[in-house]
Amino acid sequence: MVITGGLLVNVLTREIYPATVGICEDTIAYVTGAEDAAVAGAQVVDARGCWLTPGLIDAHMHIESTHATPQHFADAALPRGVTCVAQDPHEMANVLGLEGVHAMRRAAVGLPLRVLTLASTCVPSVPGMETSGAEFGAAEIDALLDEADVIGLAEVMDFWGVIRQKPRVTEIVKVGRARGALMTGHIRQLGGRELNTYLAAGIDSDHEQLDAAGILARSRLGMTVEICCCQARDTIPAAVEAWRMGGPLDAVVFVTDDIPPQELISAGHLDQGVRRAIQWGMPAVEAVRAATLLPARRLRQYDLGLIAPGRKADILLIDDLNAFHVAATMVNGRWAARGGQMLEPSTSAYAMPESALHSVHVPRLSAEDFAVVGHGSRARARVLAQRGRELKERLLPVRAGQVVWQDQPDLALVSVWHRHGRTQDHASVLLEGCGLQRGALATTYAHDAHNLVVVGRDPGDMAAAANALREAGGGYAAVCAGQVLALAALPVAGILADRPVAEIAVEFDQFCAAAGDLGVSEQPLKLLTSLPLPVVPSFRPTDRGLVDVQRQAFIPAFEFLDEDTTNQEAR
Ligand code: FE
Ligand code: FE
Ligand code: FE
């Protein structure tokens, strides 16, 4: 095949010029000047009016964030120009362990999208603070690195464990070092000695949302800064500012990390990062380079990321370079998508394991299961405020052995239930100011242990929401007055659906609308999914209790006071 008449975006020399590209099977065979006549007998593609760029490469993402299985994710990402992703399947790993990682690898075999895998290191994110479905140590990571498509260690989020040399994560890092594996990280806002210690251990990337100075500071230390282009943590403006301050930054790669289904459909995938970088003033060739050649090098995929002889024929036709609008996507010398549509939907012969289809191991619950029981006449409740960033205290009455909180209109109860069948644990804590007026919301997708999280005003509705998810195999549910208002079923491990992303997005919108009707208008998905993650400041409810993140210790959510102590407190 010969593609002729287009303008080649050369991300190595940073030039744009007319070129003819010859492709033999899955490989680029030659690149010559535009005036060269196309080879006789070849299939000739007229690319007049288009730019040719390499396919986009996402160096860090969780396919699970789109809630689609790899097959359906591929069908949403390829029309956006994404031809290769390095996935960290840590959500599936936290539910199903190695079986979850293998499911995400095998489900990607044979798809037109190149899916590389990084071995999930944070299973769970912080040991001891929550119970996930599995635990990975050095042995699991070592075994995963034996697989040809597993190219390194995924984000090492237990950075305190690295810095303080806690045994589990230290052994994992040692395995990575011994095998010469790529080691990627996420170290939040730390700098100075801590950052240096982390880098000295050999983990040399981060995707925290940084400002321009932070991006430059990390690049100066030899770190690859993964610039998140997801709307929830858009770091593109800071990257453009850093580019202005320091000229071309070879240390920067664009990533998506987490893209929810609605955002993937409406705004795109890695293409939105390239687009926004150009809009903010980065030259197009630099923006494309940060999503092609630089991630290819970072991932050690030296046959990707450049349109040049001998490289894989992963090529995009772009019909408006500054708007970065993808007209067609080629992978391995074959057209996969054109005009925003797949030429043919992907197929996969892979069937998810039985364990994935039965992953919500909680008993049928009733209103009584959501009562906060204790003795005495009053309770001192430690109440989450600012969605867990703060903790406040409230004295609440105890009647008939139950804490009475429902007459306080700004409170809701959060209840986290272990759902992986390894313990019987569940824990409840009150939450102030989330907006919920009535009913209940529930999900089985809650970072990173993905236990069952129920937030409610009414114990009966909380039970109904939990039971709806139990029957659906997981997902999101909104319930009021015993009626299920919205249900987005995620029956694969309680976090994915084997359906097109557009269909999943519609159900997510319905859930968000129902949550809005119940009073939670602002980011209902984020409220539920990030509430229990015990690496996020400052106080997090997990299945094991209320975690003080800074101290990495539990604190009681309720203390029951008898009459005497109450009187003393009053005095
Ligand atoms: Fe991260
Ligand atoms: Fe991540
Ligand atoms: Fe996660």
Side-chain angles (χ1 to χ4, degrees), residues 60-62 88 90-91 155 157 185-186 207 226 228 233 256-258:
H60 174 76
M61 59 120 20
H62 311 280
D88 168 12
H90 84 206
E91 320 297 3
E155 54 175 319
M157 274 188 290
H186 188 178
H207 54 264
E226 299 166 338
C228 281
R233 283 183 295 127
T256 59
D257 199 4
D258 290 315

Side-chain angles (χ1 to χ4, degrees), residues 366-376 378-382 396-406 412-415 417 426-431 456 459 462 556-560:
S366 63
E368 292 80 66
D369 292 311
F370 294 92
V372 183
V373 292
H375 52 82
R378 284 177 173 243
R380 183 191 291 130
R382 296 206 170 79
L396 296 169
V398 176
R399 272 184 231 124
Q402 295 191 7
V403 178
V404 179
W405 58 270
Q406 287 92 329
L413 188 70
V414 179
S415 195
W417 292 72
H426 62 95
S428 293
V429 56
L430 288 166
L431 171 69
M462 293 177 80
F558 297 93
E559 277 178 298
F560 291 92

Side-chain angles (χ1 to χ4, degrees), residues 407-428:
D407 51 3
Q408 316 250 336
D410 62 334
L411 291 184
L413 188 70
V414 179
S415 195
V416 183
W417 292 72
H418 179 76
R419 70 147 171 118
H420 306 295
R422 302 174 74 205
T423 75
Q424 306 287 317
D425 288 343
H426 62 95
S428 293

Side-chain angles (χ1 to χ4, degrees), residues 9 11 53-54 56 254 274 278 282-295 321 324:
V9 178
V11 289
T53 76
L56 304 182
F254 293 171
V274 177
I278 298 169
M282 189 180 266
V285 70
E286 295 292 345
V288 174
R289 176 179 161 88
T292 55
L293 181 65
L294 297 180
L321 185 61
F324 201 74

Side-chain angles (χ1 to χ4, degrees), residues 37-225:
V39 175
Q43 180 195 338
V44 178
V45 176
D46 182 358
R48 274 177 294 179
C50 283
W51 288 260
L52 273 61
T53 76
L56 304 182
I57 300 170
D58 190 340
H60 174 76
M61 59 120 20
H62 311 280
I63 292 177
E64 300 97 314
S65 68
T66 70
H67 297 287
T69 49
Q71 172 194 352
H72 292 290
F73 166 69
D75 286 358
L78 285 159
R80 294 294 192 160
V82 178
T83 54
C84 177
V85 301
Q87 68 157 343
D88 168 12
H90 84 206
E91 320 297 3
M92 281 291 271
N94 271 287
V95 179
L96 299 172
L98 283 176
E99 195 172 29
V101 176
H102 294 317
M104 292 301 276
R105 292 177 50 240
R106 289 174 190 146
V109 171
L111 297 178
L113 181 72
R114 290 178 199 281
V115 179
L116 305 165
T117 298
L118 293 160
S120 309
T121 60
C122 291
V123 185
S125 61
V126 187
M129 297 289 106
E130 60 185 349
T131 309
S132 56
E135 268 146 41
F136 282 6
E140 284 78 10
I141 301 301
D142 202 31
L144 282 172
L145 288 171
D146 285 340
E147 307 285 351
D149 58 321
V150 178
I151 58 164
L153 266 55
E155 54 175 319
V156 181
M157 274 188 290
D158 186 7
F159 50 85
W160 284 122
V162 174
I163 293 161
R164 293 167 182 161
Q165 298 191 23
K166 296 223 175 113
R168 178 189 77 136
V169 70
T170 301
E171 291 306 314
I172 287 173
V173 171
K174 276 186 185 168
V175 165
R177 288 185 71 118
R179 300 186 58 140
L182 175 72
M183 295 202 281
T184 70
H186 188 178
I187 184 172
R188 303 282 161 186
Q189 293 289 349
L190 292 197
R193 291 178 71 107
E194 280 101 5
L195 176 61
N196 277 273
T197 306
Y198 191 73
L199 280 158
I203 307 161
D204 60 352
S205 67
D206 184 27
H207 54 264
E208 183 62 11
Q209 186 174 10
L210 301 162
D211 60 11
I215 293 169
L216 281 174
R218 273 161 163 66
S219 355
R220 285 182 184 126
L221 296 176
M223 198 167 212
T224 298
V225 186

